[in-house]
Amino acid sequence: MNTETLRRALEDAGLTGQQAEAYLTLLESGTAPVTEIAQQSSVSSSRIYDVVRSLAEEGFVETLERDRLHARPREPVDVLNRLRQKSETFADAAAEIEDRWERPDPRESRISVLKRTETVLRSTGDAIAESNVSVALAATPSQLEELRTTIETAAMNGALIQIAVYDAGEADVPDIEGVIEIRRCPIPGPFLAIVDRRYAFFAPNVHSDRSYGITIGDEILSFILHWYFRTCLWAQNERLHLDRDQPPTYVSIEGFVYDAASLLRDGTSMTLQVIGRRIETGERVEIRGDLVRATWGGQLEPPRNPTYTDLAGQVTLFLETGDGLVSIGAWGALFEDVEAEIIRVTGIEFPEL
């Protein structure tokens, strides 16, 4: 490496041009009077004392009081560390730029396979921050901590957040504002996020010897992962947290019927608020009405204690509203009036015994 290149490297490491010039001169000459350093370098005699003292303060040189002020280079441990740290920073920056360049936007790419789990987490955070409907998330406590800010942003925007946390007690779960429900998965599993039914994100669990991830911008594949979340990571697991300030709220018909089937069989009356979209037009709507009945798989009512397998077919709710009877379908509904995205129980009346 020639002297000019070395000078630029020192400047990249944080030295000024005059500091780099004086330091390189000392490396060549060894111990020397400060006035001679000025003569041998391009640093002026009026500036050389300030430059040398600043190098001494930063640990590059030491000064010696003799008949004239002398300076000599210090053992270059600090210099080498600074250069190596800069080198690592530049290498990390290059890797990050490459990583961000390769990171796909799920809105523009249906399926993308990524090299690093960290990229999946960042892409998930970007999608969650823009969510205003629902987020289903399965993650470790540390992953939740990394996504905390974006989760709280989504909750403030009105998104319903459900979290399955792996292998953690209540004390291990970060305190995240606005989460409607948290459940505990005792067995480690993959990182999974389903955002607004349109985007899904997947990465192997932290014990895997492979680092990769998948981003999905496809409702059909997101629907499949939604069912994996419901059946494997949610239905049978212990509840750690429930926001009791909200009325009973669901992001799927199956979840509502799973909880309410026995009450419906016993004649309980319910008033529901349903937020979703009209099947014919795609228009987002809010429907309020009394639940008249729920049908399941062609049957007039679901079984008293259904499993999620029972509810995997067509499930329909019928609400009596001010505009007449409205049929409410599940995710991907084709034959009903409205596809439900959020269901809230706003009123409930138990039968008299």
Side-chain angles (χ1 to χ4, degrees):
M1 180 181 291
N2 61 39
T3 301
E4 184 59 32
T5 303
L6 182 55
R7 181 184 292 106
R8 288 200 301 268
L10 289 170
E11 291 176 9
D12 288 340
L15 296 187
T16 67
Q18 290 187 333
Q19 286 175 323
E21 176 75 15
Y23 181 64
L24 288 175
T25 300
L26 274 172
L27 285 178
E28 291 292 334
S29 63
T31 304
V34 170
T35 53
E36 290 185 12
I37 299 171
Q39 295 170 0
Q40 297 173 25
S41 69
S42 62
V43 183
S44 66
S45 56
S46 62
R47 287 282 302 142
I48 191 64
Y49 285 94
D50 289 337
V51 170
V52 168
R53 288 192 179 97
S54 67
L55 286 170
E57 289 174 358
E58 295 193 35
F60 284 79
V61 305
E62 57 183 339
T63 57
L64 306 169
E65 294 289 347
R66 296 180 179 173
D67 56 331
R68 292 181 292 172
L69 184 65
H70 286 58
R72 66 184 177 193
R74 297 188 63 178
E75 185 176 355
V77 174
D78 292 339
V79 180
L80 297 177
N81 286 339
R82 182 181 292 197
L83 290 171
R84 286 170 181 145
Q85 287 171 1
K86 278 290 182 182
S87 174
E88 291 172 0
T89 300
F90 288 142
D92 290 343
E96 179 67 15
I97 290 170
E98 180 184 28
D99 189 40
R100 294 192 179 199
W101 170 257
E102 293 177 348
R103 189 195 315 175
D105 184 340
R107 292 169 293 188
E108 299 176 358
S109 176
R110 291 205 168 209
I111 304 174
S112 297
V113 179
L114 308 177
K115 298 176 183 177
R116 297 166 53 187
T117 301
E118 293 82 359
T119 309
V120 179
L121 286 174
R122 283 193 288 270
S123 295
T124 303
D126 293 343
I128 290 175
E130 297 180 2
S131 170
N132 58 14
V133 179
S134 63
V135 176
L137 179 64
T140 65
S142 61
Q143 289 167 340
L144 290 180
E145 184 62 47
E146 186 171 343
L147 294 170
R148 175 208 295 263
T149 301
T150 56
I151 293 171
E152 291 179 340
T153 298
M156 290 177 61
N157 291 339
L160 295 178
I161 316 292
Q162 294 179 317
I163 296 174
V165 59
Y166 291 117
D167 197 22
E170 190 169 0
D172 302 318
V173 180
D175 184 15
I176 304 175
E177 293 290 332
V179 176
I180 189 170
E181 188 172 359
I182 299 174
R183 297 195 182 189
R184 175 180 178 269
C185 291
I187 300 174
F191 173 84
L192 176 63
I194 302 146
V195 181
D196 287 353
R197 300 191 175 188
R198 294 177 294 170
Y199 311 121
F201 304 85
F202 175 93
N205 74 54
V206 294
H207 300 287
S208 173
D209 59 355
R210 297 182 180 182
S211 179
Y212 72 93
I214 302 172
T215 67
I216 297 169
D218 180 87
E219 286 196 30
I220 295 174
L221 294 175
S222 297
F223 177 75
I224 293 170
L225 290 172
H226 155 80
W227 273 97
Y228 169 74
F229 180 87
R230 288 281 148 199
T231 56
C232 296
L233 306 179
W234 191 258
Q236 304 301 323
N237 285 324
E238 171 193 3
R239 177 184 290 158
L240 296 180
H241 164 79
L242 179 66
D243 184 354
R244 299 190 183 279
D245 291 334
Q246 291 200 45
T249 305
Y250 300 86
V251 297
S252 70
I253 281 182
E254 297 85 11
F256 166 71
V257 174
Y258 183 86
D259 284 352
S262 61
L263 295 176
L264 297 176
R265 291 292 294 262
D266 290 337
T268 301
S269 298
M270 295 186 187
T271 303
L272 304 182
Q273 174 200 31
V274 175
I275 299 172
R277 64 180 184 86
R278 291 198 181 277
I279 305 302
E280 287 189 359
T281 65
E283 173 193 6
R284 285 187 56 82
V285 293
E286 179 178 327
I287 306 292
R288 296 175 183 267
D290 297 326
L291 179 61
V292 176
R293 68 179 184 276
T295 62
W296 151 77
Q299 306 297 316
L300 292 180
E301 56 186 352
R304 178 175 293 276
N305 295 300
T307 65
Y308 272 101
T309 302
D310 293 329
L311 300 172
Q314 183 180 2
V315 179
T316 306
L317 307 179
F318 293 87
L319 298 189
E320 187 63 57
T321 73
D323 296 323
L325 194 65
V326 178
S327 59
I328 309 295
W331 184 345
L334 296 174
F335 305 108
E336 291 84 358
D337 298 317
V338 172
E339 176 188 333
E341 294 178 338
I342 297 171
I343 299 172
R344 286 192 177 93
V345 181
T346 57
I348 187 166
E349 185 176 338
F350 297 99
E352 294 182 3
L353 298 177

